[in-house]
Amino acid sequence: MIKEFKEFIAQGDAFDLAVGIILGIAFGAVVSSLVDDVIMQLIGAIFGQPSFNAINIHWGDKLTGEAATAVTGKYAGLKDAYEHQIFIGSLITKIINFLIVGLVLFFLVKAINKMKRPQEVVVVAAGPSEVDLLTEIRDSLRTR
């Protein structure tokens, strides 16, 4: 079993997978920062609030005290907390994040596939081989 494990690790696929996972995690952090720190701030400047997290649907009584502080502290821009709330803004932020990650990955894969695509090789029609040329020369000399 140890021998099989060594062969598996030595194949390189496990290392490639590990590198891919590490790069994916780092890439996710960069895209999250891009969405949260740049794009959502621009959207906030347009719509008047820096985060969609405050957008919610609520019903029931308004919370006060420690319970209200816990909810309003979790969602930036939320002024009032209620018994029942659905945080639509948080979902909107995560959907925007997902779409941006998908778009960036699409362009990345498209660029990599373009680089991997074999270059078109121009095939020139081959002329007669050396043997054919020598045979023609021989036959030409015989006729003289």
Side-chain angles (χ1 to χ4, degrees):
M1 183 178 280
I2 293 175
K3 182 180 176 185
E4 289 176 343
F5 180 71
K6 284 181 183 179
E7 289 174 4
F8 170 74
I9 292 296
Q11 287 179 350
D13 294 339
F15 291 118
D16 293 342
L17 181 62
V19 168
I21 289 172
I22 291 168
L23 285 175
I25 291 169
F27 182 73
V30 169
V31 172
S32 292
S33 177
L34 173 70
V35 171
D36 294 339
D37 301 334
V38 178
I39 294 174
M40 293 309 291
Q41 298 303 319
L42 292 172
I43 290 173
I46 293 169
F47 292 107
Q49 54 185 345
S51 173
F52 286 142
N53 290 339
I55 300 171
N56 63 39
I57 299 171
H58 60 286
W59 64 94
D61 296 331
K62 192 182 220 183
L63 296 176
T64 57
E66 205 173 294
T69 306
V71 174
T72 55
K74 182 178 177 186
Y75 294 98
L78 186 63
K79 294 179 179 143
D80 297 321
Y82 292 86
E83 275 185 295
H84 307 286
Q85 297 185 97
I86 298 174
F87 296 98
I88 302 220
S90 180
L91 176 65
I92 292 170
T93 302
K94 287 179 175 59
I95 289 172
I96 290 171
N97 193 344
F98 172 76
L99 292 175
I100 290 171
V101 169
L103 186 67
V104 170
L105 285 177
F106 169 75
F107 286 123
L108 186 67
V109 168
K110 188 173 179 178
I112 289 171
N113 286 340
K114 188 174 183 180
M115 290 177 5
K116 283 184 177 179
R117 188 176 306 142
Q119 299 295 327
E120 291 183 24
V121 178
V122 178
V123 178
V124 179
S129 67
E130 290 180 20
V131 174
D132 293 336
L133 290 174
L134 289 173
T135 304
E136 284 182 33
I137 294 171
R138 183 195 68 201
D139 292 344
S140 170
L141 289 173
R142 278 189 188 164
T143 56
R144 286 186 179 184

